[in-house]
Amino acid sequence: MTEDGRKEILSAWQKRKQDEITHPYLGGEKISVGLIPYVQAMLMARHLRGEILMGIRLFHELRD
């Protein structure tokens, strides 16, 4: 991959992380795409501790 190609991909990813989605489990709360891994990890931790009983949706199932 060329240096210009790498910069273009990283720039596009930085821009994409700022987009917002409506998280289906958080009651319609909007979060940035960049926070999805953090939010999913928090939900998984709560699930493993038994604090929530519902299944956790996978990253690829999140849609606007």
Side-chain angles (χ1 to χ4, degrees):
M1 179 182 300
T2 66
E3 184 67 21
D4 289 339
R6 185 183 70 78
K7 285 181 181 179
E8 189 171 329
I9 288 172
L10 290 175
S11 176
W13 170 241
Q14 291 297 327
K15 185 177 178 182
R16 174 69 175 129
K17 287 192 328 182
Q18 295 175 9
D19 291 346
E20 289 190 339
I21 59 122
T22 302
H23 196 285
Y25 189 77
L26 299 178
E29 183 177 337
K30 289 190 177 275
I31 62 169
S32 68
V33 170
L35 289 177
I36 291 173
Y38 173 73
V39 170
Q40 292 297 106
M42 286 183 52
L43 289 172
M44 184 173 158
R46 289 181 69 194
H47 176 72
L48 293 174
R49 289 190 303 258
E51 295 174 7
I52 56 176
L53 300 176
M54 295 179 66
I56 299 172
R57 291 183 179 225
L58 299 174
F59 175 78
H60 70 277
E61 293 178 354
L62 297 174
R63 300 281 189 252
D64 276 330

